[in-house]
Structures are given as structure tokens and as C-alpha cells.
């Protein structure tokens, strides 16, 4: 926001007065993907490097608990130390422990007893106005210092205390260094203002005798980890997962495999939006409505950018596929055989359909449904007939391509025939409009105007596609219909649907009972509960008397 301050920041970083990095934002570790966490650290490190030396400490002060793999991620980035507050179990009784990931990776972790602002109230503006010659002010500060040392003594023992100055919504005190100078040495206590780098990197990253904590840090023993943020504003979580999947599983792999040029601008934009939305007060949905709207917009922008990359990369491959076939892509890093649903144009007189896969292998299909061919049926006065062609853009109508226009002056009918592909016949919308106007002038009155789609069928087939690869599927006529295991849904009563794999019954209260072929039962699915909440945006608070 203030690029003119860039050199000032550089100078403060160089002098050791300001620490930058290693993260871009203080994320939530459970509501975004592992790749999002890695990109956050990568972007933060690169951004901090442009301003000086990044802080080589995995600073995680306010996350609502920590994932088991965080030591692995930090170690992968070359960080040997972490520093955090929430989620530490009661078994930790000192200011440091070894945090061990599932693969055995450990990082020395500095615990912040009392939180990331555990000395924020030690110095205060109320006692800093008259330090010059004021014994009372120094006495107040000294008393506070003694009290804080006594409180932290059991955590640090003979080690220097790490007291975190500053906290949420607090501005720095202009007189901080004066207050420190007044207190330094009082009652034999030495005080030094430093960064986390100064304090933590003076410790051995492999410190013998420290307790070892394995895996996730999700304990409430020493701090509230605010689990309500996992479920509040669930649409943000759903959108984040969908957008991450679009960028990670489709856009980037497809671009790496098939894009002629690397779409850096789109992918950089997508990742900036995803990383920024992963902030621990953003995707968690614990802010005000205006914040949630902005977070949702950023996530949507990321998904749209990823979708553009995916579609362009797929289109590059599709250009090599014949017009009578469809392209089937596998985004997984292993071969897959799966039921694939395809919507294909099929002549009405074909009794059944098979698919030619990759140009040589023929597989059966199961027909699921046929399209409704009549898309529109209107009565239009002759004087308005030509105006209907304003709906046509080039040759597009109802999202389809016009193959030809049928005009019957005797029956006073105009029929637009549309299809997924326009075909090879030329089409001149202006000429067709003039033809319709001439016919309407010759036969005034009411005309019937229809739009008719080509015959299409939704088919399901078992297709095998290579790892991170593709194949083609083209429809050919077959004699007998097949059953490939997709099932066909039928209603057995007004309240039960079944397809051989799953039976769904609607209960009298509107919820669902699901029973699978193997006997697994889920009852009460989809039950909606509407109640009060006297908590805040972080915590649910059940009312004493709920309605």
C-alpha cells in the first residue's frame, strides 16, 4: 500500500530493528491444502528476501492448532526452529520442546507461555509520559517486571526469558527503548530488546533433554484452539477446497503437460488469492460479513483463473482429436479405470452405442438418458418473426450452434436446428433473417417458432486412461444395450428411490435413510437444525433456553 516506504523497511531489516518472513500470511493449517501451506512459505520467503534476510524461524503464533506435518514443511524449507502458542499439551512444562512429524522429522519449538503477547502490558503509555526523573513511574515498571519474571520463572528456569512485547490491535510505544533503559539492571534483571532470530537462533536446534511431542498440536490444555472456526461459514471451506483442487489437480498439471507456454500470470494470481484467503482469520470465517464476502471473492477469482488454465491446456490437446470424438483426461498420477459419463450426439435409429477408445479398442456403454430435443416452442406474430434472429450471435443459439433453419411458408413454421457442432454447411444469419421477413410478409398472422436440438444420449462406460494422460472416445452403433454397472435409478414408491447400489428413503420428517448394497445404513441424513447462538464468530454458544 505504501511502496514509497520500501527503502525504509529495507534499512530497518538491515539494522535488525524489523524482522520479515518467513510466511506471507498467518494461515490456518487445517482449512487449506498442504500445497497451499508450502506456497505460503515459499511466497513469504521470496517476498521477505526482497527486503533483506528472512527470519529463519517457523513463527506460528496464533494458528488454531497445528498440523502434524508442519515440522516436515519447515525442515524442507531449511528451518530448524518453530515458535508457537496454541495447541501445546499439558505434558510440556518448559519453554521449549522437540516437535516430531509422522516421518520422524523434528524441529526445536519455542513455546510462548501466556501467548504471543505475554509481555504486551509490561510497558504502557500510562507510565511512560513522565519518565524523566519520575521515581514513581520507574517503580511501577519495576513492580510489573518483577511480577512477570515470577510468573515465567517456572517455564524458563536458568534460560533467558522470552517476553513478547506487542499484541493484537496495539501500536508500538515511542518510548519503549527509554523504558527498557530505565529498567535494565533493576533488581539484577537484565533486559534486551531483540528479534526472535536473535533469541531462538542462539539455542541449539538439537537440544538434549527436551520433551518430545508427536504429531498434531490440538490440545486445549494451555490455550483455546477455537474449533468453532472449522464449521462457521462452511461455504468458504467448500469453496477453498474446490478452488485448490482446480489449481493443484487440474490447472498446474495440465499446464505442465500440454500448455505451449507457461501461464505464469494466471497461476501466480490464483496462488496469491488462495494463500491470502488461507489466513487464520479469513478462510476460518470468524470475521464480519464484509470480510467473508471479500474472502469468497478471492477464492472464486483463484478458481476462475485455474479454470482458464485448465481449459486452455485441455483445448491444446483437443485440437489434435478428430471432430467426431471426445477427449478424456486423467488428472491423477496413476492409471485409472473408472465409469465415465459422456453426453454424445447419437442418431435416433441406433439401437445401442459402443465407444471406440483410442482409435482401436471398443467398449460397451450403458444409456442413462436421452436429451429433450424441443428446446423452445413459441407463437410469434409475422411482424416479429425477423426480430427473432437478434437472438443469434454468429450462429450460436441457446448455447448451441445452428446447423440450419427450416422455413415452411405453408405451415407458417420456422424451425432452428441446433447441435453441439455447427457442421460443414455455411450459415448466413442476415440472409436467413431476410428470408424469414419475406415469408412473414407473404403470410401474415401467427407463426410457430421452434428450436430443436440434435439427438443426444448420456452414456456411461468403463474407460482406462493412462497416468496424467488422455484418450479419445468416439460413438459407434451397437446391436444390444449393455449394463456397465452404473445402475439405473427407478422409483419403487413415492418416497423410495433405488438403483441396485443404493436405496434412498425419505422419512416422514423429511430426512433421508440411505442403505447401500453391502448393508451400510445412514439414517437421518440431511436433517436441518435451526437454533440460536449467543456466542461469537469464533465460538458457538448455546442459549440457556433455545428455540
Amino acid at each position: 500500500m505504501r511502496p514509497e516506504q520500501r527503502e525504509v523497511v529495507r534499512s530497518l531489516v538491515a539494522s535488525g530493528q524489523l524482522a520479515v518472513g518467513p510466511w506471507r500470511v498467518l494461515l490456518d493449517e487445517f482449512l487449506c491444502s498442504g500445497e497451499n501451506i508450502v506456497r505460503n512459505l515459499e511466497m513469504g520467503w521470496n517476498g521477505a528476501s526482497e527486503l533483506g534476510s528472512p527470519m529463519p524461524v517457523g513463527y506460528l503464533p496464533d494458528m488454531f492448532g497445528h498440523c502434524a506435518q508442519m515440522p516436515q514443511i519447515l525442515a524442507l524449507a531449511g528451518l530448524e526452529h518453530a515458535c508457537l502458542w496454541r495447541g501445546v499439551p499439558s505434558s510440556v512444562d518448559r519453554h521449549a520442546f522437540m516437535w516430531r512429524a509422522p516421518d520422524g522429522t523434528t524441529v526445536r519449538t519455542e513455546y510462548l507461555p501466556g501467548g504471543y503477547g505475554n509481555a504486551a502490558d509490561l510497558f504502557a503509555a500510562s507510565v511512560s509520559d513522565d519518565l524523566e526523573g519520575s521515581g514513581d513511574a520507574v517503580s511501577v515498571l519495576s513492580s510489573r517486571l518483577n511480577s512477570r519474571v515470577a510468573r515465567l520463572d517456572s517455564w524458563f528456569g536458568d534460560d533467558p526469558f522470552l517476553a513478547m512485547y506487542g499484541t493484537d490491535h496495539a501500536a508500538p510505544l515511542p518510548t519503549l527503548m527509554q523504558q527498557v533503559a530505565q529498567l535494565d539492571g533493576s533488581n539484577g534483571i537484565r533486559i534486551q530488546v531483540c528479534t526472535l532470530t536473535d533469541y531462538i537462533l542462539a539455542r541449539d536446534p538439537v537440544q538434549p533433554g527436551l520433551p518430545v511431542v508427536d504429531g498434531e498440536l490440538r490440545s486445549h490444555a494451555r490455550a483455546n484452539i477455537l474449533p468453532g472456526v472449522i464449521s462457521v461459514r462452511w461455504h468458504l471451506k467448500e469453496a477453498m477446497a474446490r478452488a485448490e483442487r482446480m489449481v493443484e489437480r487440474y490447472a498446474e498439471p495440465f499446464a505442465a503437460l500440454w500448455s505451449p507456454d507457461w501461464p505464469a500470470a494466471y497461476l501466480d494470481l490464483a496462488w496469491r488469492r488462495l494463500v491470502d484467503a488461507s489466513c487464520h482469520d479469513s478462510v476460518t470465517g470468524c470475521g464480519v460479513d464484509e470480510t467473508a464476502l471479500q474472502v469468497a471473492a478471492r477464492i472464486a477469482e483463484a478458481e476462475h483463473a485455474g479454470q482458464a488454465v485448465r481449459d486452455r491446456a485441455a483445448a491444446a490437446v483437443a485440437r489434435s482429436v478428430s471432430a467426431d470424438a471426445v477427449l478424456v483426461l486423467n488428472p491423477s498420477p496413476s492409471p485409472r479405470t473408472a465409469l465415465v459419463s459422456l453426453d454424445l450426439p447419437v442418431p435416433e435409429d441406433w439401437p445401442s452405442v459402443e465407444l471406440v477408445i483410442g482409435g482401436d479398442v471398443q467398449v460397451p456403454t450403458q444409456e442413462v438418458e436421452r436429451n429433450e430435443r424441443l428446446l423452445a416452442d413459441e407463437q410469434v406474430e409475422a411482424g416479429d418473426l425477423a426480430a427473432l434472429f437478434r437472438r443469434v450471435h454468429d450462429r450460436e443459439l441457446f448455447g448451441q450452434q445452428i446447423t440450419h433453419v427450416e422455413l415452411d411458408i405453408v405451415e407458417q413454421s420456422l424451425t432452428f436446428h441446433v447441435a453441439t457442432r455447427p457442421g460443414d454447411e455455411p450459415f448466413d444469419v442476415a440472409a436467413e433473417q431476410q428470408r424469414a421477413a419475406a415469408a412473414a410478409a407473404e403470410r401474415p398472422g401467427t407463426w410457430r417458432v421452434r428450436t430443436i436440438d440434435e439427438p443426444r444420449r448420456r452414456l456411461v462406460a468403463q474407460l482406462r486412461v493412462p497416468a496424467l494422460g488422455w484418450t479419445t472416445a468416439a460413438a459407434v452403433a451397437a446391436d444390444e444395450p449393455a449394463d456397465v454397472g452404473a445402475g439405473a435409478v427407478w422409483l419403487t414408491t413415492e418416497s423410495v428411490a433405488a438403483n441396485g447400489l443404493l436405496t434412498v428413503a425419505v422419512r416422514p420428517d423429511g430426512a433421508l435413510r440411505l442403505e447401500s448394497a453391502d448393508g451400510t445404513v445412514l439414517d437421518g441424513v440431511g436433517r436441518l437444525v435451526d437454533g440460536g447462538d449467543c456466542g461469537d464468530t469464533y465460538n458457538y454458544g448455546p442459549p440457556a433456553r433455545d428455540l
Side-chain angles (χ1 to χ4, degrees):
M1 297 303 294
R2 298 181 177 87
E4 71 279 3
Q5 297 287 354
R6 190 174 188 85
E7 293 309 313
V8 176
V9 172
R10 284 181 186 272
S11 65
L12 292 172
V13 173
S15 67
Q17 289 178 267
L18 184 65
V20 288
W23 300 97
R24 176 175 169 87
V25 300
L26 185 70
L27 70 150
D28 182 281
E29 297 174 34
F30 294 97
L31 295 176
C32 66
S33 69
E35 186 65 24
N36 197 328
I37 297 175
V38 171
R39 300 299 178 104
N40 187 345
L41 187 53
E42 182 181 58
M43 292 165 66
W45 191 268
N46 290 339
S49 297
E50 295 175 1
L51 299 168
S53 297
M55 182 173 70
V57 176
Y59 189 40
L60 311 164
D62 196 29
M63 283 79 164
F64 309 143
H66 302 278
C67 64
Q69 290 78 17
M70 184 55 72
Q72 296 170 236
I73 295 173
L74 296 178
L76 182 68
L79 302 178
E80 299 178 304
H81 296 268
C83 181
L84 51 80
W85 169 38
R86 298 187 196 267
V88 174
S90 57
S91 59
V92 174
D93 58 359
R94 63 197 75 181
H95 71 99
F97 61 92
M98 299 303 294
W99 185 11
R100 186 163 59 194
D103 73 337
T105 300
T106 59
V107 294
R108 182 191 179 277
T109 303
E110 188 71 29
Y111 170 54
L112 300 172
Y116 54 86
N118 60 9
D121 59 337
L122 186 58
F123 307 98
S126 61
V127 294
S128 64
D129 297 331
D130 187 23
L131 282 172
E132 296 293 335
S134 171
D136 288 343
V138 175
S139 176
V140 170
L141 293 175
S142 180
S143 176
R144 288 185 178 183
L145 178 61
N146 291 336
S147 174
R148 194 55 43 87
V149 167
R151 187 189 306 174
L152 296 174
D153 186 65
S154 63
W155 292 99
F156 288 90
D158 295 333
D159 292 340
F161 294 5
L162 177 62
M164 304 296 286
Y165 163 70
T167 189
D168 284 5
H169 319 296
L173 291 176
T175 58
L176 174 66
M177 301 307 290
Q178 293 172 269
Q179 295 186 50
V180 169
Q182 289 278 353
L183 284 177
D184 187 28
S186 63
N187 300 322
I189 300 174
R190 300 303 306 275
I191 303 178
Q192 176 189 351
V193 177
C194 68
T195 65
L196 281 176
T197 301
D198 299 327
Y199 179 87
I200 291 179
L201 262 63
R203 319 262 97 64
D204 186 348
V206 185
Q207 195 170 338
L210 291 181
V212 176
V213 179
D214 285 304
E216 287 186 354
L217 301 181
R218 296 286 296 172
S219 172
H220 290 264
R222 307 215 181 273
N224 184 359
I225 60 170
L226 304 168
V229 302
I230 293 176
S231 58
V232 71
R233 301 192 198 275
W234 60 266
H235 66 281
L236 292 180
K237 286 72 170 173
E238 183 182 56
M240 176 66 100
R242 188 173 59 241
E244 287 175 330
R245 187 163 57 246
M246 176 64 71
V247 175
E248 296 172 18
R249 297 295 307 280
Y250 295 94
E252 284 195 330
F254 285 9
L257 290 165
W258 301 306
S259 284
D261 301 300
W262 184 249
Y266 283 88
L267 292 172
D268 289 350
L269 170 68
W271 275 116
R272 284 198 305 273
R273 296 295 182 266
L274 288 174
V275 168
D276 288 352
S278 74
C279 195
H280 76 297
D281 280 333
S282 296
V283 68
T284 45
C286 51
V288 294
D289 290 349
E290 291 84 350
T291 299
L293 287 171
Q294 291 298 318
V295 173
R298 291 177 183 182
I299 293 173
E301 193 172 4
E303 184 178 10
H304 293 161
Q307 182 177 324
V309 172
R310 178 202 65 181
D311 291 351
R312 287 186 180 189
V317 183
R319 281 191 284 272
S320 66
V321 177
S322 63
D324 63 347
V326 296
L327 175 70
V328 183
L329 296 153
N330 176 14
S332 301
S334 57
R336 288 177 65 181
T337 299
L339 283 173
V340 176
S341 177
L342 301 172
D343 187 5
L344 299 175
V346 174
E348 285 189 299
D349 58 352
W350 286 13
S352 188
V353 180
E354 289 186 343
L355 295 179
V356 177
I357 305 303
D360 53 4
V361 178
Q362 219 157 304
V363 299
T365 70
Q366 180 177 335
E367 182 179 319
V368 177
E369 64 178 353
R370 302 192 182 193
N371 65 321
E372 175 57 56
R373 297 192 61 195
L374 184 62
L375 301 180
D377 193 349
E378 308 169 78
Q379 300 294 319
V380 177
E381 291 303 312
D384 297 325
L385 197 63
L388 293 179
F389 284 83
R390 296 174 187 166
R391 299 174 177 176
V392 180
H393 299 275
D394 190 15
R395 65 190 301 166
E396 180 185 331
L397 181 64
F398 290 124
Q400 301 279 70
Q401 299 292 311
I402 296 175
T403 58
H404 63 284
V405 176
E406 186 180 350
L407 189 66
D408 189 328
I409 197 168
V410 176
E411 296 292 331
Q412 290 187 235
S413 68
L414 175 68
T415 305
F416 294 94
H417 292 272
V418 299
T420 306
R421 293 181 57 250
D424 299 325
E425 294 185 18
F427 176 79
D428 186 336
V429 64
E432 293 293 345
Q433 186 178 30
Q434 291 174 3
R435 190 162 71 99
E442 185 177 339
R443 291 296 298 269
T446 302
W447 283 65
R448 184 185 186 189
V449 180
R450 292 177 297 168
T451 303
I452 297 179
D453 197 2
E454 66 182 331
R456 293 200 315 275
R457 302 181 195 181
R458 188 157 69 88
L459 306 167
V460 177
Q462 289 273 7
L463 303 186
R464 182 168 178 81
V465 187
L468 292 171
W470 57 275
T471 190
T472 60
V476 294
D479 296 330
E480 298 292 335
D483 184 346
V484 299
V489 175
W490 68 90
L491 289 177
T492 55
T493 70
E494 289 185 354
S495 61
V496 178
N499 67 355
L501 303 175
L502 181 69
T503 300
V504 182
V506 182
R507 305 190 325 179
D509 64 358
L512 304 176
R513 175 184 170 87
L514 311 181
E515 184 169 359
S516 66
D518 65 1
T520 302
V521 174
L522 297 176
D523 204 4
V525 174
R527 185 170 65 100
L528 300 179
V529 179
D530 184 9
D533 183 358
C534 64
D536 54 34
T537 53
Y538 292 84
N539 305 287
Y540 166 67
R545 299 179 64 183
D546 203 350
L547 301 177

